[in-house]
């Protein structure tokens, strides 16, 4: 692979501005330089074949059509030195600690609102606040057991928190599959480099779920509740259930009995379920409480949860903090609940419910990224510098009609990493989604899912918008230098 012509307009995760590899990526870059174009193409093809055979798919919703396709995988990994990762990990643990305290407070005494640190108006208009959860005290005081926080690096090298996904975060199966594929493509590098493992995530997730069981001391019965095979992340649901050795169930497989316990239908009769890892949205999880016509949920499940007879992860109502407007207050939450400054800075945000911010956003739509508060997957957003006048005019009206629902951020010069192309390595923008598990302690994956824009110049990396993925290597430089 020829690196001589590789140039990037911003901070690159592998190559420095002078064209030399970053210290943690030196071994990888030199190894790739020793491979011919043919060898590179063969290895990328091998990676694509493995992804197809393993069924690593994601559904793209486009123009009303559901397109099920293999998630594009680029074989050149993203490299992060361990020393930097330890700082990032500490920042993620701090965020999750504060966010769980915030959610518990919001469904409890709402001290943060009474102390005027968090605006009551934002809570009043929150589409993810669930009155049915007021007064609930979930096991261990944890509401968001599984979180996927999106991180981005700006052109100056600063790593920012972009958003926290606390409802039903997805993508961890792709992280695990990416590592499996990378080991097949680069067995030599895994033998000679100190690349920290990610394989323990399924066992860590199992332990997180098991710790919630209302029947401590017994072997818990755990089930993953999926909306079914037509859900965009069904591959992940099946993958994680198999990896943890737990049951994969749909709503029709479960029922709540007169004793308020939740049971699973089996060929041997009813079996009590202790913990449900639910991948069904709040509004569809229990027709007794939420959407009465939902066929995805379980009648009486919230009643069972409130009675302490079954644990749910993530807890219903956790999404109150999964709001792109609420996100802007996380540094204040950290200061309020923990008495600490945020380790990971937030991407600067403009909140359109604030008149001063709104006036600035409306006057600068051509420079900003505008996001609705509760969309995910890259849907419903405006990338101002790439938008047409007609698109900007549309958002001007949307913001004025419902300012609470919109926030804006500067268009960052997102960092890049090389991908394989027919003309050699070419830079593409990317982000990073580490996964955080909260129980008595907090566990953070080593690295996470690196999502990459496959189109040159594109800033949209979401899988649902056609983005791809890379393996993420956290490299222990001390081990390598010592060796």
């Amino acid at each position: 692979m020829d690196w001589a012509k590789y140039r990037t307009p911003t901070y690159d995760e592998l190559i420095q501005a002078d064209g030399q590899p970053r210290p943690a990526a030196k071994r990888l870059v030199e190894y790739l330089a020793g491979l011919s174009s043919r060898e590179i193409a063969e290895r990328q093809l091998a990676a694509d074949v493995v992804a197809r055979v393993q069924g690593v798919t994601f559904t793209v919703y486009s123009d009303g059509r559901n397109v099920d396709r293999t998630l594009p995988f680029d074989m050149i990994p993203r490299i992060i030195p361990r020393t930097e990762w330890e700082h990032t990990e500490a920042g993620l643990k701090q965020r999750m600690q504060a966010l769980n305290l915030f959610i518990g407070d919001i469904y409890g005494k709402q001290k943060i609102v009474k102390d005027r640190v968090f605006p009551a108006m934002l809570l009043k208009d929150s589409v993810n606040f669930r009155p049915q959860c007021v007064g609930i005290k979930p096991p261990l005081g944890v509401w968001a057991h599984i979180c996927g926080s999106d991180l981005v690096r700006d052109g100056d090298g600063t790593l920012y928190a972009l958003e926290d996904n606390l409802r039903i975060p997805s993508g961890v199966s792709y992280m695990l599959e990416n590592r499996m594929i990378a080991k097949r493509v680069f067995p030599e590098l895994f033998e000679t480099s100190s690349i920290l493992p990610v394989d323990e995530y399924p066992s860590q997730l199992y332990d997180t779920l098991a710790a919630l069981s209302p029947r401590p001391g017994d072997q818990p019965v755990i089930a993953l509740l999926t909306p079914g095979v037509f859900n965009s992340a069904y591959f992940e649901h099946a993958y994680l259930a198999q990896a943890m050795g737990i049951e994969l169930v749909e709503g029709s497989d479960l029922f709540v009995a007169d004793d308020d316990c939740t049971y699973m239908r089996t060929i041997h009769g009813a079996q009590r379920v202790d913990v449900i890892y639910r991948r069904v949205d709040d509004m569809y999880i229990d027709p007794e409480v939420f959407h009465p016509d939902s066929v995805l949920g379980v009648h009486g499940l919230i009643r069972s949860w409130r009675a302490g007879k079954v644990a749910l992860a993530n807890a219903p109502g956790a999404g109150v903090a999964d709001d792109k407007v609420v996100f802007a207050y996380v540094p204040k939450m950290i200061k309020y609940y923990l008495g600490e400054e945020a380790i990971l800075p937030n991407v600067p945000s403009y909140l359109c419910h604030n008149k001063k911010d709104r006036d600035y956003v409306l006057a600068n739509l051509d420079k900003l990224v505008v996001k609705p508060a509760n969309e995910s997957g890259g849907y419903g957003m405006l990338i101002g510098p790439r938008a047409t006048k007609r698109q900007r005019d549309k958002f001007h009206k949307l913001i004025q009609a419902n300012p609470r629902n919109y926030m804006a951020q500067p268009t960052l010069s997102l960092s890049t990493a090389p991908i394989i192309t027919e003309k050699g390595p070419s830079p593409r923008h990317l982000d990073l989604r580490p996964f955080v598990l909260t129980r008595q302690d907090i566990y953070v994956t080593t690295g996470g899912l690196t999502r990459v824009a496959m189109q040159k110049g594109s800033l949209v990396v979401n899988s649902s918008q056609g983005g791809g993925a890379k393996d993420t290597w956290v490299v222990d430089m001390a081990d390598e230098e010592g060796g």
Side-chain angles (χ1 to χ4, degrees), residues 27 31 186-195 479-480:
R27 188 170 290 183
Y31 177 83
F186 298 121
E188 310 93 331
L189 286 173
F190 278 90
E191 289 176 5
T192 60
S193 302
S194 184
I195 303 162
D479 276 5
E480 293 199 355

Side-chain angles (χ1 to χ4, degrees), residues 15-325:
I15 306 295
Q16 300 176 118
D18 61 3
Q20 296 300 306
R22 297 194 180 280
K26 188 171 186 291
R27 188 170 290 183
L28 170 69
V29 172
E30 290 177 347
Y31 177 83
L32 291 171
L35 297 178
S36 68
S37 298
R38 180 177 176 180
E39 289 173 312
I40 292 287
E42 287 174 348
R43 294 193 186 210
Q44 181 63 57
L45 177 61
D48 295 341
V49 169
V50 172
R52 279 198 300 272
V53 170
Q54 292 294 115
V56 185
T57 61
F58 195 94
T59 305
V60 177
Y61 300 110
S62 175
D63 298 327
R65 297 177 297 120
N66 297 352
V67 183
D68 201 33
R69 63 172 179 81
T70 304
L71 186 70
F73 172 80
D74 182 78
M75 76 177 200
I76 303 178
R78 179 209 198 116
I79 306 288
I80 303 173
R82 181 174 188 167
T83 49
E84 181 191 5
W85 184 249
E86 288 173 345
H87 176 82
T88 305
E89 181 181 37
L92 290 167
K93 288 181 176 180
Q94 180 192 55
R95 291 182 77 84
M96 283 313 303
Q97 196 176 352
L99 283 163
N100 270 298
L101 288 169
F102 169 75
I103 300 167
D105 187 12
I106 288 301
Y107 291 115
K109 297 180 180 179
Q110 298 189 353
K111 285 182 86 276
I112 196 169
V113 177
K114 292 171 184 173
D115 289 341
R116 299 177 182 269
V117 176
F118 184 80
M121 177 271 294
L122 290 184
L123 183 60
K124 176 177 173 290
D125 294 333
S126 169
V127 301
N128 290 316
F129 176 75
R130 304 284 176 247
Q132 300 88 342
C133 298
V134 171
I136 294 281
K137 294 182 179 178
L140 309 177
V142 177
W143 292 79
H145 312 86
I146 303 113
C147 173
S149 290
D150 292 343
L151 309 178
V152 293
R153 196 191 299 278
D154 197 6
D156 64 1
T158 303
L159 194 67
Y160 290 100
L162 181 68
E163 59 186 59
D164 302 293
N165 297 283
L166 300 160
R167 282 177 287 180
I168 309 174
S170 66
V172 76
S173 60
Y174 307 120
M175 177 194 80
L176 297 168
E177 283 288 311
N178 290 346
R179 176 55 55 87
M180 185 273 292
I181 296 170
K183 284 181 176 179
R184 294 192 182 190
V185 175
F186 298 121
E188 310 93 331
L189 286 173
F190 278 90
E191 289 176 5
T192 60
S193 302
S194 184
I195 303 162
L196 301 187
V198 297
D199 317 72
E200 64 178 0
Y201 180 84
S203 62
Q204 291 283 353
L205 177 58
Y206 179 89
D207 290 346
T208 300
L209 298 171
L212 305 176
S213 175
R215 295 190 291 178
D218 293 340
Q219 183 76 16
V221 177
I222 306 174
L224 189 155
L225 177 61
T226 176
V229 295
F230 296 110
N231 184 265
S232 63
Y234 183 75
F235 165 81
E236 175 157 298
H237 305 165
Y239 181 100
L240 290 175
Q242 184 177 30
M244 289 188 284
I246 66 174
E247 299 294 333
L248 180 66
V249 299
E250 296 183 27
S252 57
D253 298 319
L254 303 174
F255 68 93
V256 175
D258 292 341
D259 60 1
D260 286 341
C261 292
T262 302
Y263 293 88
M264 175 171 54
R265 295 180 173 91
T266 77
I267 57 173
H268 303 294
Q271 181 180 22
R272 183 176 169 185
V273 177
D274 300 301
V275 184
I276 295 175
Y277 175 24
R278 53 105 179 192
R279 300 293 295 255
V280 174
D281 188 72
D282 281 0
M283 298 307 291
Y284 300 96
I285 200 169
D286 183 354
E288 183 177 285
V289 175
F290 299 117
H291 269 313
D293 56 350
S294 171
V295 295
L296 301 177
V298 184
H299 204 280
L301 188 58
I302 296 297
R303 177 164 35 91
S304 181
W305 176 59
R306 289 182 70 102
K309 300 295 182 69
V310 70
L312 300 177
N314 284 345
V320 70
D322 188 348
D323 176 315
K324 293 178 178 63
V325 175

